[in-house]
Amino acid sequence: MLRHPASRSARCLGSAARPALRSPNLPWSSTNPRSLLSPRSLTSRRAVHSSQFQPFVPPSPSSLGRARPAKHYPRTSRWARRLLYTSAALGTLYLIDVNLYASSLTRSLRTFSLGLLVAIDYKLNFRASPLCGGTIADLHRRSAERLFDLLRSNGGLYLKIGQAIAMQSAIMPPEFQKMFARMFDDAPQNDWDDVERVIREDFGKSPEEVFGVSFRGEEGKGVMEKVARASASVAQVHWARLPDGREVAIKVQKREIAQQVGWDLWAFK
């Protein structure tokens, strides 16, 4: 079959009219698409990338200069050791005081520090124009609250001092009388475990055996309250009903009083 020469020339012209493919990474003179995938072009691209990244070489010791000695803080270390030793000694002393002497030393130190604070407060503010403001009545009320909290937290014979202050109505300010009147029957109470331990140490028996009571509601036995109805400086009172029907008040001495009396008398002096 014969074709017209014009059709062949038209195809050549059409193919020549198409724009040549150009790569953005190659020079504009490279118009052959096959040259983009040639081994030579790939090798050149690998060479370009390999020249951009160099292996890391650590610096030599000579380039870093002379080594400087580490800084030492002897004064800080010395004070840190002193603080550690002092804390350990105070902690040991506190544990010994709590477990062996019923916090007698702690109570004495607390008393001395608060007494100094109250004395300074009266020295500065017991005047017509107090430095801290307020009136003389405010000073008495503030000091009475401080002493009341101290004596109540210390317990023992310190509560006796509070009761003595409450009875001195002729010489003490009214603020002290009102505050310390609660110390006659509103002192801190001991737990039932301490009460039961005191009874066992004195009688060698349990409270059920000594007083004939039962805490489980057994028939034919009396009853006893584990919570004290009143608590004073050296003892607290528990209500009980004996098996014969009599109602009695059982007064039990507080367990720590025997250990605190000697220290308290020394502190009072």
Side-chain angles (χ1 to χ4, degrees):
M1 181 178 180
L2 298 177
R3 296 182 179 178
H4 197 276
S7 62
R8 187 174 182 180
S9 61
R11 285 200 303 271
C12 294
L13 292 175
S15 61
R18 295 178 183 176
L21 296 176
R22 296 180 180 180
S23 174
N25 297 328
L26 297 178
W28 292 103
S29 60
S30 301
T31 58
N32 188 4
R34 294 183 179 180
S35 64
L36 298 176
L37 301 178
S38 62
R40 181 178 298 177
S41 63
L42 295 177
T43 305
S44 62
R45 294 179 66 181
R46 291 195 194 98
V48 170
H49 285 288
S50 62
S51 62
Q52 293 179 356
F53 300 97
Q54 298 294 335
F56 175 75
V57 178
S60 61
S62 59
S63 63
L64 298 177
R66 188 177 61 180
R68 292 180 297 179
K71 292 184 178 181
H72 296 281
Y73 302 93
R75 181 176 298 180
T76 304
S77 302
R78 184 167 57 252
W79 280 105
R81 287 194 300 268
R82 291 177 180 176
L83 180 61
L84 179 61
Y85 296 154
T86 304
S87 302
L90 292 177
T92 304
L93 184 62
Y94 175 77
L95 293 177
I96 294 175
D97 181 50
V98 171
N99 296 316
L100 299 181
Y101 299 101
S103 302
S104 299
L105 182 59
T106 304
R107 294 158 67 244
S108 300
L109 293 177
R110 189 187 303 143
T111 302
F112 295 151
S113 60
L114 186 66
L116 181 61
L117 176 62
V118 172
I120 294 175
D121 195 5
Y122 269 97
K123 180 67 175 179
L124 298 177
N125 299 304
F126 192 70
R127 59 186 67 186
S129 299
L131 297 179
C132 298
T135 60
I136 300 298
D138 296 333
L139 174 62
H140 291 326
R141 187 180 304 106
R142 181 169 62 247
S143 301
E145 292 176 356
R146 290 172 177 171
L147 290 176
F148 178 82
D149 294 337
L150 170 70
L151 300 179
R152 183 179 174 84
S153 60
N154 283 351
L157 296 184
Y158 285 90
L159 295 177
K160 288 294 185 183
I161 298 179
Q163 296 172 2
I165 293 175
M167 291 186 297
Q168 301 300 324
S169 58
I171 60 175
M172 299 301 296
E175 290 79 10
F176 282 84
Q177 300 174 21
K178 295 177 182 178
M179 182 64 64
F180 286 89
R182 295 182 294 172
M183 283 196 172
F184 288 100
D185 56 358
D186 192 22
Q189 299 183 9
N190 285 5
D191 297 334
W192 174 253
D193 295 337
D194 295 333
V195 175
E196 186 176 5
R197 189 178 304 175
V198 170
I199 295 175
R200 287 183 178 274
E201 291 176 356
D202 291 344
F203 297 96
K205 299 179 181 179
S206 64
E208 293 90 337
E209 298 173 347
V210 174
F211 303 106
V213 297
S214 174
F215 298 103
R216 295 183 296 271
E218 299 179 6
E219 296 183 0
K221 293 187 177 182
V223 294
M224 181 178 179
E225 292 180 348
K226 292 185 176 181
V227 179
R229 291 199 175 185
S231 178
S233 57
V234 297
Q236 59 189 41
V237 178
H238 293 260
W239 175 88
R241 180 185 292 115
L242 301 181
D244 56 4
R246 292 180 299 170
E247 294 185 0
V248 296
I250 301 176
K251 189 174 183 179
V252 183
Q253 179 178 307
K254 296 182 178 179
R255 187 170 179 269
E256 67 276 4
I257 292 299
Q259 297 176 332
Q260 294 176 350
V261 168
W263 282 91
D264 293 346
L265 293 177
W266 175 80
F268 296 162
K269 295 179 181 180

